Amino acid sequence: MESFGAIGTVLGCSAGIAVGGLVFAACKLGLLYQLFHKTETKSPRHGGESVAEVLRAHGVKYVFTLVGGHISPILVACEKLGIRIVDTRHEATAVFAADAVARLSGTVGIAAVTAGPGLTNTVTAVKNAQMAESPLLLMGGAAGTLLQGRGALQDIDQMSLFKPLCKFCASIRTIREIVPTVRKALAIAQSGTPGPVFIEFPIDTLYPYHLVSKEFGVKNPPKGLMGKIVSWYLNNHLMNLFAGAWETRDMSPLPVDIPQATDDQCIELVSRAKKPVILLGSQATLPPTPNILKFWGLHYPIHIRQNRRDALKEADVVLLAGTVCDFRLSYGRVLNRRSKIIAVNRDKSQLMKNSDMFWKPTIAIQGDAGSFLVRLSNGLKGHRCPEEWPQSLKAGDMTKENANRAKADEKTERHLNPLKVLHCVDELMAEDSIIVADGGDFVGSAAYIMRPRGPMRWLDPGAFGTLGVGGGFALGAKLCRPESEVWIVYGDGSLGYSVAEFDTFTRHKTPVIAVVGNDACWSQISREQVPILGSNVACGLAFTDYHIVTDGYGGKGYLVGREDEDRLSDIISQAQRETQEGKATLLNVLIGKTNFREGSISV
């Protein structure tokens, strides 16, 4: 009897496993879901409409794209709902533009590109956004749900590419998943440390039922039982794909998780400081306190641009507000070991970067830098550090800028002195201008000469040092700030990445001004390659007629050489008038060599 009992137990377990397996299979195939949710086979609606509705509910104004059949339903649906579709000449530009919108608007930037090469073209731009902590959503097309991995057009393993680059990656498998997945992705992009997110849309999740069903039909199905099984499986997959697709769903934004930074010790520490310094990172401009820096800018009395290393050597308290001790701060080596250091950052790894080697925080706080500064300011009401400290730093600023101006008056062996050009542009630039920096040597000089007009009015790639951001950043900036002058400062090397976007500027009526320092060379590299390795190989370019290229794309180009030195201001002013009248302009400025920034290296 005991043996029969054991057999009964085994049979019972086997039956339970079998039932469990059947339930799992039924869930996997969507059979249970289809019992309670209808598939509307006559509906003309498509998944692109669901994407557009969520984006509209989140206040999205722009979707940047390079069109492709995989994603056409998203673009068409967005346009119908009043979301502006801005198509570019390269997918990387679309992502760079979305990045700029994220930085300037405090929301999520949106880009949509087609499958395969469309997505692989965005990898550098997505990585740049990750390192710059920009919240953006990249939507990519993909092969149909049943064709992935089977050699379909433009079919690759896209998820593996983007998982290391994005905070969140998802592949849509049924149309009912679109709304909750897009809502979740948008919230994650903004939560914690902001960054890019990625959603893959197989083509059959975006087109209407009647079109998708045609593709699921099996021509010459196998005969007999196998044929019936294949036909049933395909039909069930199709029905499950659209089951419950058009049921009413919540489109509204999900809560965004923003880590708050609190530490009462900081108020006392700063209040005792005689020589405090605050290094502000871009995190300080993020919501929920995007206006914290609204008074900081060109003429703000305690805003110091020059001699950062000297100021840090003297400081007794240094506040790193969203600033990271990477190569830009010599990995922390520029910090005085006697200084009290307060570090605030949303990202723990960035908060403590290199603290085990070259520096050590007195207080390290993981949280939002902007709201922390607001609380610190409120706690220090009425407090001022000794006046001689900011006055001495401001005097050092003036001394350095006067020296730079004197350097600009020197004659170069040929062409124009690049520093003189930059000074002239800076003096004529409007007070509300946004400067987009895209280049090496010429842009490195611009960082010393050109004065950002205010917070978020100087856009550069950030820690990744990416060339090619110019066209996209300027496009996004002009759309967000149509009333502002948007200047791109290009090296002649970096211009090659996005000069075709002058076509985009023309078509989308986004007139920007570009000034190109044309020295026919990758000078940032050449300045060290030649003396160290004795060769200029691969560094030489030509004094190319970039102004003619601009004309060909519908803009207005100007060639500026030494013979134009006396009327340089007039030419710049004319370019400004052209942009005010709606034309994107480019100043192709032939520049010579100087020893300014001599000794700076490119690694």
Side-chain angles (χ1 to χ4, degrees):
M1 291 295 292
E2 289 180 2
S3 60
F4 282 108
I7 292 170
T9 301
V10 171
L11 291 174
C13 290
S14 300
I17 293 170
V19 170
L22 289 172
V23 171
F24 175 79
C27 291
K28 194 75 174 172
L29 294 170
L31 297 175
L32 295 180
Y33 187 87
Q34 292 176 61
L35 289 176
F36 304 99
H37 301 272
K38 184 180 178 183
T39 298
E40 300 180 34
T41 60
K42 303 297 183 184
S43 175
R45 296 195 61 186
H46 56 78
E49 296 173 354
S50 298
V51 176
E53 287 167 0
V54 179
L55 296 182
R56 181 178 64 175
H58 285 69
V60 171
K61 295 181 179 179
Y62 311 105
V63 171
F64 298 95
T65 190
L66 197 157
V67 71
H70 287 87
I71 57 164
S72 290
I74 294 177
L75 307 181
V76 172
C78 285
E79 184 186 41
K80 285 183 178 178
L81 293 185
I83 298 171
R84 184 170 173 180
I85 302 301
V86 184
D87 60 306
T88 63
R89 299 302 299 267
H90 195 285
E91 290 89 351
T93 299
V95 176
F96 286 135
D99 185 334
V101 167
R103 299 186 194 200
L104 292 174
S105 68
T107 58
V108 181
I110 311 293
V113 300
T114 199
L119 275 163
T120 58
N121 278 347
T122 70
V123 167
T124 297
V126 173
K127 182 62 183 181
N128 194 82
Q130 180 194 46
M131 294 185 67
E133 299 174 352
S134 294
L136 64 85
L137 167 61
L138 174 64
M139 299 182 290
T145 51
L146 289 180
L147 294 177
Q148 292 182 353
R150 296 178 181 274
L153 175 67
Q154 298 180 331
D155 179 32
I156 59 170
D157 181 2
Q158 298 170 164
M159 298 296 284
S160 294
L161 277 176
F162 288 96
K163 281 179 180 176
L165 306 178
C166 297
K167 298 179 65 181
F168 170 78
C169 291
S171 180
I172 300 297
R173 310 319 290 176
T174 62
I175 296 167
R176 59 182 175 269
E177 297 172 22
I178 291 176
V179 170
T181 303
V182 176
R183 291 177 74 212
K184 181 179 180 180
L186 290 167
I188 290 174
Q190 301 171 86
S191 293
T193 304
V197 293
F198 170 63
I199 303 177
E200 174 186 83
F201 292 88
I203 193 169
D204 50 350
T205 66
L206 291 178
Y207 279 85
Y209 180 93
H210 70 278
L211 289 177
V212 176
S213 63
K214 289 180 182 179
E215 299 300 319
F216 273 82
V218 180
K219 300 174 183 177
N220 304 316
K223 294 181 179 179
L225 180 61
M226 182 54 67
K228 291 180 180 179
I229 291 173
V230 169
S231 296
W232 175 87
Y233 177 79
L234 292 175
N235 183 66
N236 177 74
H237 185 87
L238 174 64
M239 299 300 284
N240 184 51
L241 192 65
F242 284 85
W246 318 124
E247 294 174 3
T248 301
R249 289 182 172 82
D250 186 2
M251 306 277 181
S252 62
L254 294 168
V256 174
D257 178 26
I258 299 174
Q260 296 300 308
T262 56
D263 195 303
D264 294 336
Q265 302 175 60
C266 297
I267 296 173
E268 182 181 356
L269 192 61
V270 175
S271 67
R272 294 201 305 264
K274 305 299 183 187
K275 295 181 176 181
V277 170
I278 302 176
L279 288 178
L280 290 166
S282 56
Q283 273 192 18
T285 67
L286 293 172
T289 52
N291 294 321
I292 185 173
L293 304 179
K294 62 183 177 181
F295 299 114
W296 291 58
L298 193 57
H299 305 295
Y300 196 61
I302 61 171
H303 178 205
I304 310 300
R305 297 181 60 239
Q306 312 284 357
N307 305 312
R308 181 175 65 187
R309 185 180 293 267
D310 294 339
L312 290 172
K313 283 181 181 177
E314 291 188 55
D316 55 3
V317 171
V318 176
L319 173 52
L320 304 177
T323 306
V324 182
C325 287
D326 56 17
F327 72 94
R328 292 167 291 184
L329 289 179
S330 192
Y331 310 99
R333 286 177 291 197
V334 297
L335 299 173
N336 189 333
R337 290 189 176 272
R338 295 188 298 275
S339 299
K340 303 293 184 184
I341 300 171
I342 303 168
V344 186
N345 199 294
R346 294 194 186 192
D347 188 321
K348 186 176 181 180
S349 65
Q350 299 299 305
L351 173 68
M352 304 301 292
K353 189 174 285 293
N354 296 309
S355 63
D356 57 335
M357 293 183 67
F358 301 118
W359 71 289
K360 189 70 66 178
T362 308
I363 301 174
I365 306 165
Q366 185 178 358
D368 176 55
S371 54
F372 171 82
L373 288 172
V374 169
R375 282 193 293 273
L376 181 62
S377 177
N378 291 336
L380 290 168
K381 281 199 183 303
H383 169 75
R384 296 178 70 88
C385 73
E387 286 292 332
E388 56 267 22
W389 173 238
Q391 288 174 359
S392 68
L393 293 177
K394 206 68 176 177
D397 243 23
M398 292 301 298
T399 299
K400 184 69 175 286
E401 290 184 0
N402 288 337
N404 291 344
R405 191 169 293 279
K407 198 78 177 168
D409 291 333
E410 297 176 1
K411 284 284 186 184
T412 51
E413 186 177 337
R414 62 174 181 161
H415 301 314
L416 290 169
N417 185 321
L419 304 184
K420 181 169 186 175
V421 174
L422 292 166
H423 272 295
C424 193
V425 170
D426 183 65
E427 288 164 3
L428 294 172
M429 188 180 290
E431 286 296 300
D432 66 346
S433 292
I434 295 173
I435 304 168
V436 173
D438 186 7
D441 196 65
F442 188 62
V443 169
S445 297
Y448 287 89
I449 305 301
M450 302 182 77
R451 299 163 298 166
R453 271 40 185 174
M456 304 310 296
R457 291 190 174 272
W458 173 281
L459 300 181
D460 64 31
F464 203 24
T466 311
L467 291 181
V469 302
F473 276 14
L475 178 63
K478 190 63 178 177
L479 289 168
C480 287
R481 305 280 192 274
E483 73 288 350
S484 297
E485 279 186 3
V486 175
W487 287 80
I488 314 174
V489 182
Y490 274 122
D492 56 335
S494 62
L495 174 65
Y497 287 86
S498 62
V499 68
E501 301 307 338
F502 273 84
D503 172 70
T504 305
F505 301 145
T506 298
R507 288 185 296 104
H508 288 282
K509 297 179 172 56
T510 49
V512 305
I513 312 177
V515 54
V516 183
N518 187 352
D519 60 358
C521 186
W522 295 92
S523 292
Q524 183 82 347
I525 310 304
S526 180
R527 68 159 64 242
E528 64 192 73
Q529 181 174 307
V530 172
I532 294 174
L533 300 173
S535 172
N536 199 47
V537 63
C539 294
L541 294 171
F543 288 105
T544 300
D545 291 333
Y546 301 114
H547 53 292
I548 296 177
V549 176
T550 304
D551 289 341
Y553 280 126
K556 176 62 178 176
Y558 295 85
L559 177 64
V560 186
R562 176 167 281 181
E563 64 278 10
D564 304 302
E565 187 167 10
D566 291 340
R567 59 190 193 94
L568 181 58
S569 295
D570 293 337
I571 296 172
I572 294 170
S573 296
Q574 177 61 32
Q576 290 174 301
R577 288 191 292 273
E578 290 279 359
T579 59
Q580 290 163 9
E581 293 170 5
K583 277 218 170 195
T585 61
L586 180 143
L587 299 164
N588 183 16
V589 184
L590 307 182
I591 59 172
K593 307 289 186 182
T594 75
N595 61 0
F596 188 65
R597 296 176 58 245
E598 195 167 60
S600 64
I601 60 173
S602 60
V603 292

